[in-house]
Amino acid sequence: MYLAQIDAVLFLFAVDDDASLEAVEREWLPTASNAVVRALVATKTDVAVAERVVSRTRGEDVAAAALLQYYETTAGDRASVAAVVDAVVAGVREFK
């Protein structure tokens, strides 16, 4: 995988799938350490509380440990997705 010249990277995981966050931690975080903006993005945050297996606190802790920004989104709320995109673009523009 070639990621030498990237400005931003978003690591996405589903809050109803613990294995998705574990895969991000184990397989993906080490691949893009040189990106200007790096963010961990929780998806499916509109699932029922009983279905959510990854808490916001755990997501924030993983993000903090890896020096990532943290966001929570759901496809059902375009505003939350747009906020992530806007923040990432602003971060890249600030750097350049």
Side-chain angles (χ1 to χ4, degrees):
M1 184 179 315
Y2 182 73
L3 298 173
Q5 298 178 347
I6 57 173
D7 291 328
V9 63
L10 303 176
F11 301 102
L12 281 70
F13 73 94
V15 299
D16 64 346
D17 182 5
D18 190 57
S20 66
L21 180 57
E22 290 173 3
V24 167
E25 291 180 279
R26 182 181 61 254
E27 299 172 26
W28 294 104
L29 287 180
T31 66
S33 60
N34 61 330
V36 173
V37 177
R38 298 176 355 127
L40 181 63
V41 181
T43 65
K44 297 186 176 181
T45 57
D46 59 345
V47 298
V49 174
E51 294 178 33
R52 184 170 180 148
V53 295
V54 180
S55 70
R56 180 182 193 101
T57 301
R58 179 159 176 237
E60 290 172 337
D61 290 348
V62 169
L67 303 175
L68 304 174
Q69 298 172 11
Y70 181 75
Y71 301 96
E72 292 206 338
T73 65
T74 179
D77 176 11
R78 290 184 179 178
S80 66
V81 175
V84 172
V85 173
D86 291 346
V88 169
V89 169
V92 170
R93 284 184 178 159
E94 183 178 312
F95 179 77
K96 291 192 170 207

